[in-house]
Amino acid sequence: MSDLRQLVTHASHYLAGRAGLMMLGFLSFPVLTRILPVAQYGELSLLLKIGLLWTVLSKCGLQNAALRFFPEQSKLSPENKRACASTLIVSSVLLALTCAGLGFALVRAHVINLGREITDLLPLLVSLVAVRAIQPVFSGLLRAEKRTWLFNICELSGKSLGIVCSVGALSLIAIDLHYFLAGLVLAEGAVVAAVAIWFHNAGLFSFTSFQPRFAMNALGFSVPLIAYELTSVVLDSGDRILIGRYLGFGQLGLYSAAYAIATYAEEALMTPVNMALFPAYMKIWVEQGEMATARFLSQALDMFLLGCGMVALLVYVGADDLVSILASKQFAAAHSLLPVLVCGLLVYALHIFFNAPLLIHKKSIVLTCVTTVCCVANLAMNVLLLPRIGIMGAALATLLSYILLVTGLAVVSRRYLRFRLPVNTFLSCIALVTVIQAALRLIAIPSAWLDLLIKAPIAICLYSAGIALLRPELRRRVLMNRQPRISKSDTLAAAEESR
């Protein structure tokens, strides 16, 4: 019980930190879309996605080695603990600098063509990638050390200071992406330096404790995991590079704004569930076995689908309003993309349930293979659709590739663990979302804020009533869960009367 209580405590800390990060992004997004023109916002989105791909390669998965080896080495002796932390930190710095220098040289030698706009920002982009490649190792060590509050402080301080410096530079100096990137590098670099000083003062970081042999073992463990992380990033971000190439930064800006709003909707639902789901089903698997785990995953997926339907309905009803409020009227043309992108990302969110059998049976290679196939399919569909139907082609490619991903994972995972798929819930959600959003679109209210404030509660009430009507077994389950409380309260009341 003490281990479980500790797990719940740390999970709640991580959840609070994640909620804070999402809130910071939610607050900074409307500011950026009002400061930057559409084309420049698209250029920034492309720049950050290229930086993300570069960062994945530069960190070489060493954050996974921190989670894997640091607890084990910490139990041996304080010297082993310091050597492990120092080796991982020094290795991350050397790899980050090497990859940054190599990438800079390849772009300058025109071996890699990123375009004139990106090349002009290359020195700052290289610096940002180096900082972001080092930071995950510190985060991994803090997580392995179970210093959850310090982990959250570092994450939130880096994000908030980065927003203040980058957006402040745009507002006070000039609307130029050089200043935006310089603000990010300054803020995030300062946080990484502060964490490094803390590790040094805590006796966990010393250049003299570096062990080359342990560094090679850590890399041997981490490098194979790059493939899954890289294909996941390409699956999520590859379309941004192709849109910039085929359609230009203006269309990329519209797509990026719609994708950002859709991501907030998806993460608000998936992130807390994802953080709690893995330890929950692993505990059931260990203690109760296969049948109990299958039953749990089926019931959890059933409830998650109901949540997906609610989120989809709210976005569909308020697509125009959400774009106007969050991204400003200059991004109004992006509203048609939002329903398709939200549907795609909510489909993607289902993968956390179909990953479960593969993770339980340690089939990470199978997971990587499925993701790679979907990544290639996504890029191919973008190449095919973008020249023909524009940015809607990218949205449809996202939806179709995520459907392919979840379908593939569902088929493959059933070889290792079968659980019942809640088909009735899926069909009920589709029917309710279709009917309710069509009915509410007949109501026209001029003000975006007023339209959203009126329609959202109505949509929630109609959806809840529809679920209760279409899913009588769910209604009975809720009533059965309440019955013990009701019986207990009646018993207490009777006891009081007898006195």
Side-chain angles (χ1 to χ4, degrees), residues 81-380:
K81 182 178 182 180
R82 180 171 57 253
C84 177
S86 301
T87 301
L88 291 171
I89 293 169
V90 173
S91 298
S92 70
V93 173
L94 293 175
L95 286 168
L97 294 178
T98 301
C99 291
L102 180 60
F104 184 85
L106 291 174
V107 174
R108 284 300 186 189
H110 302 290
V111 177
I112 298 176
N113 182 19
L114 297 179
R116 182 182 59 82
E117 295 86 354
I118 305 299
T119 304
D120 289 343
L121 296 163
L122 190 59
L124 289 168
L125 180 60
V126 166
S127 303
L128 183 62
V129 167
V131 170
R132 290 185 171 180
I134 298 168
Q135 185 270 335
V137 172
F138 285 112
S139 297
L141 291 170
L142 291 174
R143 289 176 61 191
E145 188 82 325
K146 296 184 178 179
R147 296 182 180 273
T148 52
W149 282 113
L150 183 57
F151 170 85
N152 283 336
I153 289 170
C154 294
E155 294 282 310
L156 291 171
S157 60
K159 180 75 171 180
S160 56
L161 190 59
I163 291 172
V164 170
C165 291
S166 58
V167 175
L170 288 176
S171 304
L172 301 176
I173 303 175
I175 300 177
D176 188 328
L177 295 185
H178 286 86
Y179 296 113
F180 182 89
L181 287 180
L184 287 180
V185 172
L186 178 65
E188 296 183 23
V191 173
V192 169
V195 176
I197 292 171
W198 182 89
F199 269 81
H200 177 72
N201 293 337
L204 294 174
F205 177 34
S206 171
F207 285 102
T208 58
S209 298
F210 176 76
Q211 295 182 352
R213 180 173 294 181
F214 179 74
M216 296 305 296
N217 290 336
L219 282 172
F221 170 80
S222 302
V223 169
L225 298 174
I226 296 175
Y228 172 67
E229 189 174 0
L230 188 61
T231 52
S232 298
V233 171
V234 173
L235 183 60
D236 176 70
S237 307
D239 53 2
R240 248 56 64 87
I241 298 173
L242 293 173
I243 293 171
R245 181 74 64 182
Y246 281 101
L247 305 177
F249 290 136
Q251 293 295 294
L252 177 59
L254 294 175
Y255 183 83
S256 299
Y259 202 99
I261 296 172
T263 300
Y264 290 133
E266 176 247 349
E267 286 189 349
L269 180 65
M270 188 185 79
T271 299
V273 175
N274 191 27
M275 293 180 71
L277 186 66
F278 180 73
Y281 67 66
M282 283 304 301
K283 182 176 185 295
I284 295 172
W285 174 264
V286 171
E287 296 182 358
Q288 301 178 45
E290 182 175 332
M291 292 184 62
T293 306
R295 184 167 56 252
F296 168 76
L297 287 172
S298 180
Q299 293 175 350
L301 178 58
D302 186 60
M303 300 303 295
F304 190 76
L305 280 172
L306 295 177
C308 287
M310 178 76 77
V311 172
L313 177 60
L314 291 175
V315 173
Y316 287 4
V317 166
D320 298 353
D321 304 326
L322 288 170
V323 172
S324 298
I325 292 169
L326 295 177
S328 79
K329 293 182 179 179
Q330 66 175 337
F331 290 87
H335 75 88
S336 61
L337 303 172
L338 192 55
V340 180
L341 289 172
V342 165
C343 184
L345 289 174
L346 288 176
V347 169
Y348 169 74
L350 300 178
H351 84 282
I352 61 176
F353 295 92
F354 300 110
N355 277 357
L358 300 177
L359 294 176
I360 287 172
H361 291 277
K362 301 177 182 178
K363 301 296 181 181
S364 57
I365 294 178
V366 176
L367 188 60
T368 302
C369 290
V370 175
T371 309
T372 301
V373 170
C374 296
C375 176
V376 173
N378 177 268
L379 296 176

Side-chain angles (χ1 to χ4, degrees), residues 3-53:
D3 291 337
L4 181 59
R5 192 177 302 112
Q6 190 178 37
L7 174 64
V8 172
T9 301
H10 289 307
S12 65
H13 293 171
Y14 288 130
L15 183 58
R18 186 63 187 174
L21 289 174
M22 289 179 62
M23 184 58 65
L24 287 172
F26 196 74
L27 293 174
S28 64
F29 173 71
V31 177
L32 277 178
T33 53
R34 283 162 173 79
I35 292 176
L36 296 175
V38 176
Q40 205 164 19
Y41 182 80
E43 182 182 350
L44 174 62
S45 175
L46 178 60
L47 188 74
L48 294 177
K49 292 304 179 183
I50 292 173
L52 178 59
L53 289 169

